Amino acid sequence: MNEAGIFGRLVPDFGRVVAQMQFDMYHHYTVDEHSIRAIGLLAAIERGELAEDHPLSTALFRQIASRRTLYVAVLLHDIAKGRGGDHSVIGERIALELGPRFGLDPAETETVAWLVRHHLLLSSTAFKRDLADPKTIEDFVTTVQSPERLRLLLILTVVDIRAVGPGVWNDWKRQLLRALFDAAEERLRLGHKQRGRPEQVAARQGELAAALDWRAGAMRAHFKRLPDSYWLAEPLEWQLANVRQVAAAEAHIGEAKPSVVAEHDAERGATRISVFAPDRPGLFYRICAALAASGASIVDARIHTTRDAMALDNLLVQDAQARAYADKRLRGRLIRAVEAALASDQPPPLPKAEPLGARRAAFTIAPSVIVAGGASTRTTVVEVNARDRPALLARLAGAIHAEGHRLHSAHIATYGERAVDVFYLTGADGRKLGADEIESLRSRLFAAASDL
C-alpha cells in the first residue's frame, strides 16, 4: 500500500513522511521505510520468530492487553518528523486525532498517544543515565506509571532500535534496557513494598558469596570496602572478576603497581577493561587518554572508589569497527598502554585530530552542554552532545579533571555522527556543584566538545 501510494492518501499524515530522508549517519532508511520495517519486526516478535534474539519482548507480547494499540503506536511513533519542533510532542497530538479514525477506543487512543510522546524515554534513560542511582528509577517510573505501559514501551523501543539499520542493535543495549525494565517492573509491581537499597545490596553480596569459596571474614571485609553503588551497578560476573583481580593484586605485599585486566565479553560485544589502582585526581583521564591513543573506543564506564581510597574502574571498549578485542595479543597492548599511562608523570598525548572526511563533514553538529540539576540527589549530572570523533571522551575527561571535580560515573552513547556523553560529578568536597562551578565547567566542556 505504501509503495503504491495508497497508504499515504488514506492517512495523509503518514504521506508526509513517505520518502523523507533523515539527514544523519545513524538512520539508514527513510522515515516511512523505518516505520514499516519496525512493523515487520513487531509481527515477527508476535509470531515468536525472534524469540532467541528477544526472549523478553516475545514473552511480554503475550501479556499485553491490546495488540492493536502496540501496532498503531509503532506505526505512528515517527509520524511528525520533519515538521519542526519536537516530533514526539507533535506526534502525540496527531495520534490523538488518528486513534478514533483507526477504530481505537478512548483508552487505546490515550495509550498510543502516550507511547508516541515517550517512545524515546526507555532508551534515553537506559543509555544516558546511571541505573544504580535510585533517582533515575524513581523519575522513570513516575513517568511510566503502569506495568502495561512499561511492557508496551519495551517492545516499541526494541523494534524502533532494530529498524534503524544493521549493526545498531547490540548486546550492550540489550543489557541496559533489560536492567532498567527489571528495576522499573519491580517498582511498579511492588510499589512502596519493594526491596530497599540495603536489601538489594545484601542480595547482590549474597550472590557473590555463594559463587566464591571464601572465608566469611574475608567476604565481609570485601563487602564493607566497596560502596553501595558498586553492588547495584555491576553484574555478578564482573563482581567475580573484580574480586579475584583485587585479591591477586594485593597478594604481593608492598607492591604498588596498578592492576589492569582486559577480558573479552562476548555477551556484550565488547572488551572489559578493569583498573584497580590507588585513587588520585585525573586517574580516569589517564585511562581514557591511554585507550584513545591505542585506538580503542570507550562505550561505557563505571567508576568506583573503595573506602580505603583505591579506584576500581570497569570500562567497556571496542575497536574502530565497533567490535570487541577478541585477540588476546591486542588486549595485551591495551593493558600495557593503560599501565604505562598510570606509571608516567604525564598522561599519554591524545591522537592528533584527523580530517572529518566528506561524509561526516556534511552533517552539522552544534555542541551543547546540558546540566540536569534534578536528575540525581547526590551528584550533578552533565550531558554533552558533540560530533563523535577519536579521543572525544578523553578530552571531556581532561576538562573535568582541569576543573578539579570528581567523576563518579560516565555513560557514553553514539548515534551515527553524534556522541552523547553523560557524567555524574561532584566537587572535590563530595558535594553537588555550585552555580559558579557549573558555569566554569560548562565553558571548558563546550571548548573540548567543539570541532578542532
Side-chain angles (χ1 to χ4, degrees):
M1 289 176 68
N2 189 56
E3 291 179 356
I6 298 173
F7 192 68
R9 293 189 178 187
L10 179 66
V11 185
D13 287 296
F14 191 86
R16 295 182 61 166
V17 299
V18 171
Q20 183 181 116
M21 296 295 295
Q22 305 191 67
F23 294 97
D24 56 43
M25 293 174 60
Y26 179 61
H27 294 91
H28 293 241
Y29 307 112
T30 58
V31 177
D32 61 318
E33 200 173 5
H34 163 75
S35 299
I36 291 172
R37 284 178 178 271
I39 290 284
L41 287 164
L42 183 62
I45 288 175
E46 182 181 19
R47 293 191 298 266
E49 296 172 0
L50 298 179
E52 184 174 347
D53 289 341
H54 302 290
L56 178 59
S57 295
T58 301
L60 291 178
F61 206 108
R62 295 191 289 268
Q63 301 175 25
I64 61 176
S66 171
R67 61 186 290 276
R68 64 181 185 176
T69 295
L70 183 54
Y71 272 98
V72 174
V74 172
L75 176 67
L76 302 182
H77 75 280
D78 278 346
I79 199 167
K81 280 197 168 180
R83 299 197 183 200
D86 189 332
H87 78 283
S88 300
V89 175
I90 301 171
E92 178 184 26
R93 296 198 295 266
I94 296 172
L96 288 171
E97 297 173 1
L98 290 180
R101 279 194 56 200
F102 290 164
L104 302 183
D105 62 35
E108 291 173 323
T109 299
E110 179 186 354
T111 301
V112 168
W114 184 90
L115 288 168
V116 173
R117 172 68 180 87
H118 297 287
H119 71 273
L120 298 175
L121 175 65
L122 184 64
S123 58
S124 63
T125 303
F127 302 157
K128 298 193 291 185
R129 290 292 181 265
D130 185 353
L131 301 185
D133 190 327
K135 188 67 162 56
T136 298
I137 308 303
E138 178 184 340
D139 290 345
F140 178 75
V141 168
T142 298
T143 302
V144 175
Q145 297 183 344
S146 84
E148 177 70 3
R149 281 181 175 179
L150 180 63
R151 289 188 286 267
L152 294 168
L153 184 60
L154 185 280
I155 301 173
L156 169 56
T157 301
V158 169
V159 298
D160 187 18
I161 296 174
R162 281 286 304 264
V164 166
V168 174
W169 177 263
N170 56 41
D171 286 332
W172 182 236
K173 290 179 179 177
R174 182 204 314 275
Q175 292 281 335
L176 292 174
L177 292 173
R178 179 63 185 262
L180 177 55
F181 176 88
D182 287 345
E185 192 274 337
E186 181 185 56
R187 176 71 176 271
L188 288 166
R189 175 167 47 87
L190 301 178
H192 296 297
K193 295 181 180 180
Q194 75 170 95
R195 292 180 298 170
R197 188 183 181 95
E199 289 78 13
Q200 293 182 50
V201 170
R204 299 288 178 86
Q205 292 174 343
E207 292 174 356
L208 179 62
L212 288 171
D213 186 21
W214 279 23
R215 291 181 295 105
M219 288 305 312
R220 284 195 298 270
H222 183 69
F223 294 160
K224 292 178 180 179
R225 193 175 187 184
L226 288 158
D228 288 354
S229 59
Y230 173 85
W231 302 106
L232 296 173
E234 303 296 6
L236 178 60
E237 62 268 27
W238 288 21
Q239 293 177 16
L240 280 166
N242 287 163
V243 71
R244 288 167 178 153
Q245 178 182 357
V246 170
E250 296 186 330
H252 306 287
I253 300 176
E255 186 173 336
K257 182 180 179 181
S259 171
V260 182
V261 171
E263 293 187 353
H264 178 50
D265 193 327
E267 185 178 5
R268 293 170 177 83
T271 296
R272 174 179 55 83
I273 305 290
S274 294
V275 179
F276 179 68
D279 194 21
R280 58 170 167 163
L283 178 67
F284 183 68
Y285 168 51
R286 289 172 175 271
I287 296 171
C288 291
L291 293 172
S294 301
S297 175
I298 301 172
V299 297
D300 198 65
R302 292 168 182 167
I303 301 157
H304 310 285
T305 304
T306 68
R307 304 190 194 284
D308 55 344
M310 295 293 290
L312 180 56
D313 297 346
N314 290 317
L315 302 91
L316 279 176
V317 303
Q318 294 177 329
D319 62 17
Q321 284 73 46
R323 298 176 304 194
Y325 286 89
D327 191 322
K328 186 177 181 180
R329 293 172 298 176
L330 295 178
R331 295 200 300 272
R333 288 174 54 187
L334 295 180
I335 291 174
R336 291 189 293 274
V338 174
E339 288 176 339
L342 298 182
S344 173
D345 293 334
Q346 298 293 330
L350 297 175
K352 294 182 179 180
E354 300 178 358
L356 292 175
R359 188 180 180 199
R360 286 187 177 272
F363 303 100
T364 301
I365 303 295
S368 67
V369 180
I370 302 165
V371 178
S376 174
T377 58
R378 300 175 289 107
T379 60
T380 299
V381 181
V382 180
E383 176 180 316
V384 181
N385 287 258
R387 186 193 302 274
D388 188 34
R389 60 183 185 274
L392 173 63
L393 180 60
R395 290 186 171 90
L396 297 177
I400 294 170
H401 170 54
E403 289 291 308
H405 301 320
R406 292 178 58 190
L407 179 60
H408 294 269
S409 68
H411 306 268
I412 294 90
T414 305
Y415 304 92
E417 75 283 3
R418 179 184 297 275
V420 183
D421 295 346
V422 180
F423 306 98
Y424 281 65
L425 308 170
T426 61
D429 58 1
R431 299 179 179 179
K432 296 180 74 168
L433 304 185
D436 292 342
E437 292 174 312
I438 288 174
E439 287 309 310
S440 178
L441 176 63
R442 191 197 305 271
S443 176
R444 198 180 287 267
L445 285 174
F446 186 85
S450 299
D451 289 335
L452 302 178

